[in-house]
Amino acid sequence: AASLEEARKINQAFQSYKTPVAIGYCLRYLPSSQKVNSVIQSKVIGRLHNVSVEVGQYLPDWRPNTSYKESVSASPGLGGGALLELSHEIDYTQWIVGQLIPQTAILRSSTELNLDVEDSADILSINEDGAVISMHLDFLQRQPYRLCRFIGSEATLEWDLISNSVILYQADETRILLNDPNWDKNQMYLNMILDFENMILNNSHNCISPVEAMNTLSFIEKVKVLNKNRL
């Protein structure tokens, strides 16, 4: 689905036919993401003040054998643009800190890539507890980068999604909670498929629901409105 309306139609079909449906937001199946979620929910870092989310990778390097201008990522009608393509970051942030309420947004398309969709997005949001979440998504960084930091009243948690590491910075101690850069990334997808199998078999599972995906698309559409209003 490239829009909230399309997502609603999928959800209606899901409800009508009772077909098992799970959304492929695979980053939730990273060992590091599960560790981060566990730490945040346990309140180890205290009251959450700020979250900084950043992801960037140079779009022409994504699919070397395909012209990036002809890819899905560059097509408005097929769900292209940084907001939709990199909505994994929006999904995991709302999974960990709750519903985001966007406050302001700047969407840009660079002259370097010359796309009909945004190749960078900067969003400032708050959650229901008043924590401030800043998010940067782009197709521009020549060296892939994917990092998230949670600043709390008692500690700071730093999560590197590429190196699969989680570090806790406390006042008198720095603790490496996870550091496994050689972890097989394919296992993330296998875990997701096995979780979907559990759903089909009516076993306990953690599959991402269509409603959660609709929340992500709803957030994206609000961001686009904020950007238009700014202009």
Side-chain angles (χ1 to χ4, degrees):
S3 69
L4 181 57
E5 183 56 35
E6 290 177 2
R8 285 184 177 133
K9 291 178 180 178
I10 293 173
N11 190 50
Q12 287 170 1
F14 161 65
Q15 296 293 339
S16 296
Y17 295 100
K18 305 303 178 185
T19 303
V21 174
I23 310 303
Y25 278 126
C26 54
L27 294 183
R28 293 202 202 180
Y29 293 89
L30 278 172
S32 55
S33 72
Q34 292 165 23
K35 172 64 72 174
V36 166
N37 189 40
S38 174
V39 171
I40 296 300
Q41 304 314 321
S42 71
K43 307 294 184 182
V44 168
I45 72 167
R47 178 175 174 79
L48 186 63
H49 292 312
N50 289 79
V51 182
S52 175
V53 177
E54 182 174 351
V55 57
Q57 185 175 0
Y58 192 51
L59 182 60
D61 292 343
W62 282 24
R63 307 172 183 93
N65 297 322
T66 304
S67 169
Y68 73 89
K69 288 194 174 182
E70 297 175 2
S71 68
V72 169
S73 307
S75 171
L78 295 177
L83 275 173
L84 285 168
E85 278 280 28
L86 300 173
S87 63
H88 291 272
E89 261 62 23
I90 300 169
D91 171 73
Y92 82 60
T93 303
Q94 296 200 122
W95 172 53
I96 295 171
V97 306
Q99 186 74 39
L100 298 180
I101 307 163
Q103 304 297 299
T104 187
I106 300 174
L107 309 181
R108 293 174 293 169
S109 184
S110 68
T111 56
E112 288 87 355
L113 296 185
N114 195 28
L115 301 177
D116 293 329
V117 293
E118 78 283 348
D119 58 24
S120 71
D122 291 276
I123 310 159
L124 194 67
S125 306
I126 59 172
N127 72 356
E128 293 178 351
D129 294 325
V132 176
I133 297 93
S134 60
M135 189 175 295
H136 173 80
L137 321 170
D138 77 56
F139 290 162
L140 302 171
Q141 296 189 53
R142 302 306 296 263
Q143 195 68 246
Y145 186 89
R146 208 162 205 170
L147 197 72
C148 184
R149 281 173 61 88
F150 301 83
I151 300 173
S153 58
E154 303 299 325
T156 294
L157 191 68
E158 185 173 286
W159 173 26
D160 190 324
L161 285 78
I162 294 177
S163 68
N164 197 36
S165 67
V166 181
I167 302 175
L168 181 68
Y169 297 95
Q170 296 171 297
D172 56 356
E173 184 183 15
T174 296
R175 295 165 54 195
I176 298 174
L177 304 183
L178 179 68
N179 184 27
D180 189 8
N182 297 318
W183 183 72
D184 182 6
K185 294 179 177 61
N186 192 53
Q187 191 62 46
M188 172 179 66
Y189 300 103
L190 294 176
N191 290 344
M192 182 171 65
I193 292 168
L194 289 171
D195 201 28
F196 184 52
E197 180 183 35
N198 283 330
M199 171 191 273
I200 294 170
L201 297 174
N202 290 318
N203 295 330
S204 176
H205 65 85
N206 295 299
C207 291
I208 295 94
S209 70
V211 171
E212 290 176 279
M214 287 168 61
N215 285 339
T216 296
L217 282 166
S218 175
F219 175 83
I220 288 172
E221 296 206 351
K222 290 173 184 175
V223 164
K224 289 181 177 179
V225 169
L226 283 172
N227 180 68
K228 286 181 180 179
N229 290 343
R230 182 184 62 84
L231 298 174

